[in-house]
Amino acid sequence: MEEPASPHPDDHPDPFTAGIRSMWERAGLPGRTLVITTDRHDGYDIDCTLLVRALEEGRPISGLTKAQVAAAVGVDETDVHLAPVQRQSDGRQGGPGWLEVRITPEAAARRRKAPTTREWWDDHIATGPIPGSSFVQKVRDEDRKVTHYRAQVPEELGAARVDQHALAAVLKTKYDEGRLFVTTDANQVLVSLWDTSPLAQTFPATRELLTPDKDGRWVTGYLGNGQPARNRVYTDRGAAHGLFVAPSGGGKTQLMALHIAADALFGAVVMLATEAPDEKTLALGEHTARYGVGALYMVRLLRTMAALMEIRGEMLWDDGQIHEWDPTRPGCPYSPFSGYLDEFLSAARHPLYGDEIMDLAENVSVKGRKYAVGIKVAGQSIYVQDGFTQLLCENLRENCIPVVLKVAPKKVNEMFKTLGIAADNIPDPLSPYDAADDRVSVYVGGRHTSTKRTIDST
């Protein structure tokens, strides 16, 4: 008995195409379509793309489903993808009478077993934790043991939406484990996954970190997400001031040590005065040009700074002119000067010298920046009612990046609002202070960071 003629074109197909057409006919021409061409995917035995056409020319394809295709060729329904066909420049027809069928069981198996980062992101992140996002880049920092993922969502979707609990589950961590941090900027997303929480690590204070760069920035510590928090030895207004706040035993001396090292590496002359002697300040003072104790010494240091500003205001630069200090301008005849005042508010209450200390500090805070004279004030409060004058507090805040150590969680918002920090930059409180690992919670200019008291021995 003669076999019925094949409805497919008699175009002498290769064996693979002939095999596909045979399975298609055996299945009863799914969706009343014909297989016109097959395109085998490179590196695969089965995976291919079919170009199918409606059985009746000029009619649309309306009934073809993934399930019909999967049954015809013996693959899972999830391995079938249907796509419209656009008319091609070479004259090939397109439109509703044509359909592209991609069959990818081998690629799917490989993707499940060993996906690329982009495939993993598309399958597990873009479909849930960060919907609609596209993977951009993966960067591994072996020195700091952290992996960064960059992604973005289409601009038409607006700002990226992140479900951090779902993201933590995909990345096999817990939301409150302190290893996962997400930063969003409009439609851009940065996901940082640490091997261990950066808050559980000690970062040595190296010369490289403490040396100011061309913009005067250096690394004070590390933020809660493990990124470096930077301070400055100068700003666009001139020499930078400093404001360090912490309760007794909160780590101010260690922090001053970092700033003094940065000033020294910048080439500044550093002097230190403290209201009362203690072991750590004495050890730190050995590495400064001058160190002294008591309100009298502090007022003498401030008088020196005030006199220095007057002298520098009359000094001629190499071009024979007088200029306000600018680290980028050549020909400056003097070096930067940085004066540190520890337990400042206690000294400002001294019955004999307190008023002069406050007056001189205000004067230096206003004018010092112009003559490369920076004033660095350390104490236990930033509040006017505790002894600061409003003028001094504002001048310090405007010409420095304040650093607050071990602030009580309930005081975070209040303190940073007082410092004039924008609400968007005020951090959430860290988890309660863990005395077992001797950690100090640090806020740098409204950003979280963390350090350890052992930093003064590095």
Side-chain angles (χ1 to χ4, degrees):
M1 181 184 239
E2 210 177 282
E3 291 188 7
S6 170
H8 285 97
D10 185 15
D11 53 3
H12 307 291
D14 61 77
F16 183 80
T17 302
I20 292 291
R21 287 176 174 177
S22 176
M23 288 188 287
W24 208 258
E25 293 171 11
R26 182 188 63 188
L29 302 180
R32 294 187 62 77
T33 60
L34 299 176
V35 176
I36 304 303
T37 63
T38 64
D39 181 13
R40 212 166 181 176
H41 296 176
D42 290 342
Y44 293 103
D45 295 325
I46 301 172
D47 289 11
C48 60
T49 298
L50 312 181
L51 181 63
V52 303
R53 191 202 73 200
L55 178 62
E56 297 89 1
E57 291 192 64
R59 297 180 65 87
I61 297 174
S62 59
L64 185 63
T65 66
K66 291 183 179 182
Q68 290 175 319
V69 175
V73 298
V75 300
D76 192 277
E77 188 174 347
T78 59
D79 299 333
V80 176
H81 312 273
L82 306 179
V85 175
Q86 304 296 325
R87 184 176 182 87
Q88 302 296 307
S89 58
D90 60 3
R92 193 185 77 180
Q93 294 183 1
W98 297 79
L99 204 63
E100 183 180 273
V101 180
R102 296 183 68 248
I103 303 170
T104 57
E106 293 171 294
R110 193 271 311 155
R111 185 165 180 153
R112 287 189 293 269
K113 185 177 180 180
T116 65
T117 303
R118 185 179 300 278
E119 292 169 341
W120 166 80
W121 187 279
D122 290 344
D123 293 343
H124 299 282
I125 306 295
T127 56
I130 311 178
S133 60
S134 300
F135 172 78
V136 174
Q137 182 185 33
K138 177 182 177 181
V139 178
R140 173 65 181 176
D141 188 334
E142 284 294 347
D143 292 337
R144 300 173 63 201
K145 306 300 180 186
V146 59
T147 302
H148 301 292
Y149 299 91
R150 287 181 52 232
Q152 63 183 21
V153 299
E155 291 187 3
E156 57 267 23
L157 294 181
R161 294 180 292 112
V162 182
D163 183 338
Q164 296 210 29
H165 291 276
L167 182 61
V170 170
L171 294 173
K172 302 187 185 321
T173 184
K174 295 178 180 178
Y175 175 75
D176 58 357
E177 198 172 18
R179 295 176 50 216
L180 174 64
F181 299 90
V182 181
T183 304
T184 60
D185 182 7
N187 68 327
Q188 305 292 317
V189 183
L190 174 66
V191 176
S192 299
L193 180 65
W194 292 76
D195 295 356
T196 58
S197 171
L199 294 177
Q201 301 181 37
T202 299
F203 298 95
T206 64
R207 175 182 286 268
E208 180 182 8
L209 294 177
L210 298 179
T211 300
D213 63 16
K214 63 181 179 60
D215 297 317
R217 298 182 184 275
W218 57 279
V219 177
T220 308
Y222 287 90
L223 306 177
N225 63 5
Q227 301 307 304
R230 291 182 171 85
N231 220 302
R232 305 187 72 172
V233 292
Y234 68 86
T235 72
D236 55 357
R237 300 176 181 177
H241 298 319
L243 180 59
F244 318 130
V245 184
S248 180
K252 289 193 300 296
T253 307
Q254 292 93 322
L255 182 62
M256 285 196 298
L258 300 179
H259 280 255
I260 286 173
D263 279 335
L265 290 167
F266 181 61
V269 176
V270 179
M271 295 188 183
L272 169 62
T274 182
E275 187 268 341
D278 64 65
E279 178 185 7
K280 291 179 181 178
T281 309
L282 175 62
L284 181 58
E286 294 177 358
H287 301 281
T288 63
R290 293 286 189 277
Y291 165 72
V293 176
L296 177 58
Y297 189 88
M298 191 174 293
V299 78
R300 286 175 171 170
L301 175 55
L302 283 165
R303 290 169 183 167
T304 300
M305 295 167 73
L308 191 60
M309 292 191 305
E310 291 185 16
I311 294 170
R312 290 182 170 185
E314 299 176 356
M315 294 179 71
L316 299 180
W317 290 44
D318 283 358
D319 61 3
Q321 304 297 314
I322 295 174
H323 302 286
E324 289 189 5
W325 182 75
D326 181 342
T328 64
R329 186 194 294 270
C332 179
Y334 49 77
S335 299
F337 182 96
S338 196
Y340 287 76
L341 311 178
D342 192 20
E343 299 297 349
F344 173 79
L345 291 179
S346 296
R349 294 191 184 100
H350 191 277
L352 291 179
Y353 308 115
D355 289 345
E356 187 179 359
I357 286 174
M358 186 60 73
D359 289 343
L360 289 169
E362 284 185 350
N363 183 37
V364 176
S365 73
V366 173
K367 302 177 182 179
R369 62 178 182 81
K370 297 188 291 185
Y371 310 109
V373 175
I375 180 172
K376 313 294 174 65
V377 173
Q380 299 185 25
S381 173
I382 51 85
Y383 298 113
V384 172
Q385 63 266 29
D386 290 336
F388 263 104
T389 66
Q390 190 68 35
L391 177 61
L392 177 59
C393 191
E394 289 180 358
N395 286 330
L396 293 177
R397 181 194 65 205
E398 290 300 316
N399 209 45
C400 80
I401 300 176
V403 183
V404 182
L405 309 177
K406 278 193 68 179
V407 64
K410 292 182 179 179
K411 288 188 176 181
V412 170
N413 283 350
E414 176 188 348
M415 183 168 289
F416 281 103
K417 285 179 181 176
T418 301
L419 283 170
I421 303 298
D424 291 346
N425 293 326
I426 296 177
D428 295 325
L430 285 172
S431 56
Y433 173 72
D434 182 1
D437 71 2
D438 210 25
R439 185 182 302 130
V440 178
S441 300
V442 185
Y443 302 87
V444 182
R447 298 170 296 168
H448 258 144
T449 183
S450 176
T451 185
K452 296 261 188 126
R453 289 205 185 99
T454 52
I455 203 163
D456 63 335
S457 63
T458 59

